[in-house]
Amino acid sequence: AGFIKSPLSQKRLTQDSVELYCEAIGNPIPEIQWWFEGNEPNETYAQLWDGARQDRVKINATYNLHSTSTIYIANLTSDDSGMYECRASNDPDRNHLSKIPKVKWIRSQANVFVIERPDIKAHVTGVSGKLILTCNMTAPYPAIEGHEWMHADKILQTDTESSAFTSYTIEGKMEDHSGVYECVYKTSPVIKGQVNISVPPQVMAYKKSEHGNEGDTGVLICKNPSFPPVSSWVWYKNGREVSAPIVNGSGRYIIKSSGNKTELRILKLNIEEDTDDYHCNATNSYGFGGAMVNLRVRSRLAALWPFLGIVAEVLILVTIIFIYEKRRKPDEVLD
């Protein structure tokens, strides 16, 4: 049997996760087991199973032509530091309690070091039209080789300083730059802090004015590009909150809201009843905001009026030509 495994040594922070992979080749197909030995002097190897350590351990194995197994440990603690051993054997007596297997277990090991996660103090302050984001990592912490600031998987700033303090400046207002920002410390392993710029919902209508034909379905959409996400959406007709909100499924109204987007559908549009202003109001943990959408409903015959106008112009022109030809004197006839 051959053996392929994950790196021999891995460093992780508490609350992180780790994944180890093993592959065994043999005929018949070997079984794979996972064992663990802690760093305590008197600790011995103990077998791991799926669901161990309060369901933080997940083991997935497949046996097709050869054996593969992956162990995943979530929410790491310092007690998870130690030697992880992957054992493979295809001896029929490998799990017999009294018989000694003829083929010994083939073993491979990986050492996992779980380091206590340093505390990072993160702040955001507004000064003279600027936003200053700061992170400060408290000791003890590993050697720092630089920093990065990231937003939406985009690197905003990078340096090679070894300080525990790092900052990033944004020109503008909080409402224009809300979101989740990360301060990344280039350490082993990498340590990340999070700075949240949080504001009330900055609601925007997809279109401030919507048009629909009578009998069709009208669709009104509002979005919230700011952070944190919206917890609840409410639609009002006429833009007056004193009136009752539109209830999803009532009458011809269908409301579909998901996160930072809401959609109001009005079935079988009616010119007299549905032409109006509609307000979409959003609420999150920092306040509320809203936007207005004006809905105009056109008659189904509206598209025919331009055509009928052209036809009328042609008929009038033909009539004028016909009358002119009838009234023209004989001596005006061309030779």
Side-chain angles (χ1 to χ4, degrees):
F3 219 59
I4 303 174
K5 60 183 182 306
S6 300
L8 294 176
S9 179
Q10 297 195 34
K11 290 183 180 180
R12 292 291 187 272
L13 295 171
T14 53
Q15 303 171 21
D16 281 350
S17 61
V18 68
E19 187 174 72
L20 303 174
Y21 172 81
C22 275
E23 180 176 342
I25 302 170
N27 187 21
I29 298 173
E31 177 194 0
I32 293 179
Q33 294 180 0
W34 288 95
W35 292 71
F36 170 76
E37 182 184 43
N39 293 328
E40 296 296 328
N42 298 328
E43 197 164 352
T44 58
Y45 274 101
Q47 187 175 356
L48 295 172
W49 66 93
D50 188 57
R53 298 179 184 175
Q54 298 179 337
D55 206 31
R56 293 189 298 112
V57 174
K58 300 294 181 184
I59 297 177
N60 294 315
T62 58
Y63 298 96
N64 184 16
L65 300 180
H66 60 279
S67 306
T68 61
S69 182
T70 302
I71 184 170
Y72 175 84
I73 307 170
N75 197 20
L76 290 170
T77 69
S78 56
D79 293 336
D80 296 320
S81 292
M83 187 69 70
Y84 289 81
E85 188 172 87
C86 183
R87 300 179 181 180
S89 177
N90 56 7
D91 191 292
D93 297 327
R94 59 185 177 273
N95 293 317
H96 203 283
L97 297 178
S98 58
K99 293 183 179 180
I100 300 176
K102 297 176 183 178
V103 179
K104 298 293 184 181
W105 288 88
I106 297 176
R107 309 175 184 213
S108 186
Q109 297 174 332
N111 207 347
V112 175
F113 300 93
V114 182
I115 303 170
E116 195 69 30
R117 178 182 294 274
D119 186 28
I120 297 178
K121 304 294 183 183
H123 295 283
V124 56
T125 54
V127 180
S128 303
K130 298 180 180 180
L131 299 175
I132 301 176
L133 284 58
T134 62
C135 283
N136 192 17
M137 186 161 56
T138 57
Y141 51 81
I144 300 172
E145 298 180 357
H147 314 87
E148 285 182 350
W149 281 90
M150 300 185 67
H151 175 59
D153 296 328
K154 180 182 178 181
I155 298 176
L156 306 174
Q157 177 179 292
T158 183
D159 64 57
T160 56
E161 298 177 4
S162 59
S163 172
F165 177 85
T166 179
S167 66
Y168 176 68
T169 302
I170 302 174
E171 299 281 348
K173 302 182 296 183
M174 284 191 176
E175 289 76 12
D176 299 330
H177 299 280
S178 66
V180 178
Y181 294 79
E182 283 187 326
C183 53
V184 181
Y185 288 85
K186 298 177 182 178
T187 56
S188 180
V190 171
I191 301 173
K192 297 181 180 181
Q194 185 172 298
V195 183
N196 296 336
I197 300 180
S198 303
V199 297
Q202 308 297 301
V203 181
M204 300 169 54
Y206 183 70
K207 290 183 180 179
K208 293 184 178 180
S209 181
E210 286 282 0
H211 298 80
N213 294 323
E214 188 178 22
D216 290 346
T217 298
V219 181
L220 312 181
I221 300 175
C222 288
K223 297 180 179 181
N224 171 51
S226 58
F227 178 86
V230 172
S231 56
S232 65
W233 287 96
V234 180
W235 283 89
Y236 293 93
K237 190 177 179 181
N238 303 320
R240 295 194 301 267
E241 293 189 19
V242 293
S243 61
I246 297 174
V247 179
N248 186 22
S250 63
R252 295 176 287 113
Y253 298 117
I254 298 175
I255 299 174
K256 183 180 179 181
S257 301
S258 57
N260 281 337
K261 180 181 177 182
T262 184
E263 180 180 284
L264 171 64
R265 288 180 175 267
I266 307 173
L267 308 178
K268 297 181 180 179
L269 288 172
N270 184 287
I271 295 179
E272 297 180 358
E273 296 181 14
D274 299 325
T275 300
D276 216 323
D277 292 332
Y278 294 80
H279 263 216
C280 52
N281 284 7
T283 303
N284 66 11
S285 56
Y286 283 79
F288 63 91
M292 186 187 73
V293 185
N294 177 260
L295 176 61
R296 299 179 182 180
V297 183
R298 298 171 297 198
S299 170
R300 282 195 172 276
L301 299 177
L304 294 176
W305 292 122
F307 174 74
L308 293 176
I310 295 173
V311 172
E313 289 179 0
V314 172
L315 289 175
I316 292 172
L317 181 61
V318 170
T319 302
I320 293 173
I321 295 173
F322 178 77
I323 294 173
Y324 174 79
E325 290 293 335
K326 282 289 186 181
R327 305 181 86 176
R328 192 170 59 176
K329 295 178 181 181
D331 56 357
E332 293 179 349
V333 178
L334 296 176
D335 293 337

